[in-house]
Amino acid sequence: MMMRKGKLFMLPYAGGSASVYLSWKKHLPAEVELIPMELPGRGKRYKEPLIDSVQNMIPVLLEDITSHELSTSYAIFGHSMGNLLALELARELAKQDHPLPAALFLSGRNPPHVKSNFLRHVLSEQELVQEILKLGGTPPELMENREWLELFLPIIRSDYKLVETYQFKWDAPLDCPFMIFNGKQDLLIDAGQIEEWSRFTSREYSAAWFEGDHFYIHDQAEEICRQMVRHLGAPTSPLH
């Protein structure tokens, strides 16, 4: 499906707020409306309780996305945890006979049936801080700020629990194209497994690799947007 004009919904990574995507608007043509999807417990939804399971998160996201007009073209981008949520949200949209996205852009995560046995959500506070620092993406000076840590650690622990307790179930392939994005130096990705993503779509499948680690998206936002625009067939100008 060509998306000459439409919406691009953005789902964040573990511990992140949808606001990280606001700066991406300048890389997109005016015809593509960028819509960050905020999760409960952060950003403008900080007063809402955190949700630590996919089963309970998807109905919230479904209510959010279906509050928008989906009869016109739209696409979904998700990085890391957001990748998982994007996939399961699209599956739920299909089950409820909503229009499917023109494309799913899935970033920074192995295929959903590839299970990791490392459980970060059960780590002690000190171990969790060290793990976050090792993964990168969070300024080390923030991790030394006690007040900030008390706000951040419950969010990321809840998000890790959501991802690590996820029970994958095989279902029919989705009738929408998949484009898989990853960082070449991402140690959380098994490059040999990435082609397995093609099993989850009955439409076109492609993969793109970018310079960078798990948080390559911060340095490669412009090129990621360029790839998405090209894939969707949207015009490349004028930009915001």
Side-chain angles (χ1 to χ4, degrees):
M1 183 188 298
M2 302 295 273
M3 188 167 128
R4 290 294 174 189
K5 183 177 182 181
K7 301 174 177 69
L8 179 58
F9 295 93
M10 312 289 286
L11 285 161
Y13 46 81
S17 165
S19 63
V20 300
Y21 297 122
L22 291 176
S23 65
W24 292 33
K25 288 183 180 181
K26 64 179 179 285
H27 304 309
L28 293 167
E31 291 81 1
V32 177
E33 179 187 2
L34 185 143
I35 304 175
M37 296 184 73
E38 194 62 270
L39 306 182
R42 68 210 80 194
K44 64 184 180 183
R45 304 182 72 168
Y46 76 95
K47 291 185 178 180
E48 299 178 37
L50 293 165
I51 297 177
D52 61 8
S53 74
V54 173
Q55 180 181 3
N56 291 330
M57 184 69 81
I58 293 305
V60 174
L61 294 177
L62 184 70
E63 181 179 3
D64 189 353
I65 199 169
T66 55
S67 70
H68 297 269
E69 177 57 60
L70 298 183
S71 62
T72 55
S73 293
Y74 74 98
I76 306 174
F77 174 93
H79 177 68
S80 198
M81 177 186 72
N83 173 324
L84 170 59
L85 294 177
L87 176 69
E88 288 300 327
L89 176 57
R91 284 175 145 194
E92 190 62 29
L93 286 162
K95 287 176 186 174
Q96 298 198 20
D97 293 323
H98 291 288
L100 285 178
L104 278 183
F105 299 110
L106 302 171
S107 169
R109 183 172 166 79
N110 288 320
H113 63 293
V114 179
K115 189 76 173 173
S116 170
N117 294 319
F118 184 36
L119 302 180
R120 294 180 179 85
H121 78 276
V122 299
L123 296 175
S124 69
E125 179 178 302
Q126 184 178 1
E127 290 170 332
L128 185 57
V129 167
Q130 291 304 310
E131 184 63 22
I132 293 165
L133 287 171
K134 186 169 71 175
L135 288 174
T138 305
E141 58 271 19
L142 272 181
M143 302 303 290
E144 297 170 4
N145 183 318
R146 187 71 233 169
E147 185 177 347
W148 183 83
L149 271 183
E150 288 177 358
L151 293 172
F152 175 69
L153 287 183
I155 294 172
I156 198 163
R157 192 183 293 278
S158 175
D159 288 352
Y160 280 149
K161 184 177 180 182
L162 179 150
V163 171
E164 292 163 358
T165 58
Y166 167 65
Q167 298 294 315
F168 170 73
K169 295 179 182 177
W170 286 101
D171 205 343
L174 284 167
D175 187 31
C176 67
F178 279 32
M179 190 166 193
I180 309 301
F181 296 146
N182 286 298
K184 294 178 182 177
Q185 290 81 40
D186 187 348
L187 299 180
L188 299 182
I189 298 299
D190 182 348
Q193 298 274 8
I194 290 303
E195 290 298 314
E196 290 285 301
W197 273 111
S198 62
R199 300 172 66 181
F200 296 87
T201 175
S202 59
R203 301 282 295 282
E204 310 94 87
Y205 159 86
S206 59
W209 295 86
F210 300 82
E211 288 298 326
D213 59 16
H214 188 62
F215 289 99
Y216 78 95
I217 62 170
H218 296 312
D219 295 324
Q220 303 287 350
E222 183 174 3
E223 182 56 29
I224 292 169
C225 287
R226 195 186 313 276
Q227 294 251 12
M228 290 194 291
V229 167
R230 185 182 304 122
H231 189 81
L232 291 168
T236 55
S237 63
L239 294 177
H240 287 286

